[in-house]
Amino acid sequence: MWSRAFESRNFLGAMFMVPAIATLILFLAYPLALGFWLGMTDTKIGGAGRYIGFENFVSLAKDSVFWLSVFNTIFYTVTASIVKFAIGLYLALLLNERLPFKSMIRAIVLLPFVVPTVLSAIAFWWIYDSQFSIISWVLIKAGLITRYIDFLGDPWNARWSVVVANIWRGVPFVAITLLAGLQTISPSLYEAANLDGATNLQRFRHITLPMLSPIIAVVMTFSVLMTFTDFQLIYTITRGGPINATHLMATLSFQRAITGGNLGEGAAISNAMIPFLVAAILLSFFGLQRSRWQQGGRD
């Protein structure tokens, strides 16, 4: 029986999948299940909790700071993702052309993504400093403003400041990934379009964009997921301030669970992020399904 089993491709395939399945259960499924359980308890740091059902979620529904963090997270994610895609696509199209020192330029473009997030955040923290900001200093010397800009002290200034920092860090990922997709498009398609008298805009609309759509769906999914769950950048630059104006759901969850000691409430905030993340994944999935015709399938 065992000899026949080991000769079966299905049995061998299942055996080879066991380590991967065990890893996923240990490091993904178990923490996720534990998070759901903690969200339904009143567990505190240093003490055992008791099951309270959906009381944490009911409490969050009445929490103005939680809803402010939801608004901040959506604003941060949508704004940064759109701008990152626009700039990244432009850079990808530019780097796909024949440029001098193209390899060096690609390496420079990648630098913001290679630098550790905390170091980038500390650099932006200094750039936005209320007393030593290089931006304010240049604008004052140019005669455009008369006093230093309070980047991190005003709620909306702080929101836009962290969005800019996230865009600076995330553009290289979008640009390099889309560049890889552009280089898979056959030049013969553009040659045929040129023979037909197509303009640059028409070539982009009818060749580049449709052929890139599967890559765009994947890139935007990862971009949205990484932006929505961003923690290090916000926590290092603003700690969620001023007056909770830059608190994302991830940073608020950390503040309530670790700093505040209420693990149950922090876990409930983390669980509240899941529907948004699932929606982003489903949007990408359906976008990929609509592009199946490019691989010879039905639309």
Side-chain angles (χ1 to χ4, degrees):
M1 181 184 67
W2 283 105
S3 61
R4 287 197 303 270
F6 278 103
E7 291 175 359
S8 170
R9 295 182 61 184
N10 292 334
F11 179 78
L12 287 176
M15 292 296 293
F16 282 122
M17 288 178 62
V18 168
I21 294 173
T23 302
L24 290 175
I25 292 175
L26 181 62
F27 295 106
L28 183 64
Y30 172 71
L32 186 63
L34 180 61
F36 276 119
W37 168 251
L38 285 175
M40 295 186 178
T41 67
D42 60 355
T43 305
K44 311 286 185 183
I45 290 181
R50 60 186 179 84
Y51 178 78
I52 59 173
F54 292 95
E55 287 186 20
N56 285 325
F57 297 95
V58 173
S59 176
L60 288 177
K62 303 174 184 177
D63 189 343
S64 60
V65 176
F66 168 74
W67 287 112
L68 179 61
S69 73
V70 173
F71 166 78
N72 292 336
T73 305
I74 295 174
F75 172 79
Y76 181 77
T77 302
V78 172
T79 307
S81 297
I82 291 174
V83 177
K84 281 189 289 188
F85 172 72
I87 299 176
L89 180 59
Y90 172 76
L91 284 175
L93 293 171
L94 187 64
L95 293 174
N96 198 42
E97 300 295 329
R98 294 180 180 176
L99 297 173
F101 309 107
K102 185 161 61 175
S103 299
M104 184 181 298
I105 295 173
R106 289 178 182 176
I108 293 172
V109 168
L110 264 178
L111 278 178
F113 194 70
V114 174
V115 175
T117 306
V118 173
L119 293 182
S120 303
I122 291 173
F124 273 100
W125 180 63
W126 276 102
I127 290 172
Y128 294 143
D129 188 84
S130 59
Q131 296 182 353
F132 306 104
S133 170
I134 185 65
I135 299 175
S136 296
W137 182 82
V138 169
L139 293 177
I140 288 175
K141 292 299 182 181
L144 298 177
I145 59 176
T146 57
R147 60 178 182 175
Y148 274 55
I149 301 171
D150 190 7
F151 286 103
L152 302 180
D154 177 80
W156 275 105
N157 284 351
R159 287 189 182 104
W160 285 112
S161 296
V162 294
V163 166
V164 169
N166 182 272
I167 291 170
W168 179 85
R169 177 161 177 76
V171 160
F173 168 75
V174 178
I176 296 300
T177 309
L178 292 181
L179 176 61
L182 285 172
Q183 293 182 340
T184 64
I185 301 176
S186 174
S188 61
L189 297 175
Y190 295 106
E191 293 170 3
N194 286 332
L195 292 176
D196 290 336
T199 63
N200 290 335
L201 182 60
Q202 288 172 329
R203 290 199 298 271
F204 174 77
R205 179 182 175 185
H206 297 290
I207 298 176
T208 305
L209 205 56
M211 296 298 290
L212 265 186
S213 58
I215 304 296
I216 290 173
V218 174
V219 167
M220 289 306 295
T221 298
F222 278 100
S223 178
V224 168
L225 294 181
M226 289 188 294
T227 307
F228 194 92
T229 57
D230 194 6
F231 171 82
Q232 297 180 68
L233 204 64
I234 301 295
Y235 192 77
T236 305
I237 296 176
T238 66
R239 295 289 199 279
I243 54 173
N244 302 312
T246 58
H247 253 317
L248 304 186
M249 296 173 74
T251 57
L252 184 64
S253 173
F254 176 84
Q255 185 191 66
R256 298 283 176 88
I258 307 302
T259 308
N262 193 337
L263 293 176
E265 187 176 2
I269 296 173
S270 296
N271 293 335
M273 297 170 63
I274 294 176
F276 296 98
L277 300 176
V278 171
I281 294 171
L282 290 178
L283 184 63
S284 170
F285 174 78
F286 287 117
L288 287 171
Q289 287 294 100
R290 289 183 57 83
S291 303
R292 286 173 57 190
W293 60 271
Q294 296 180 24
Q295 286 77 37
R298 297 181 60 187
D299 189 359

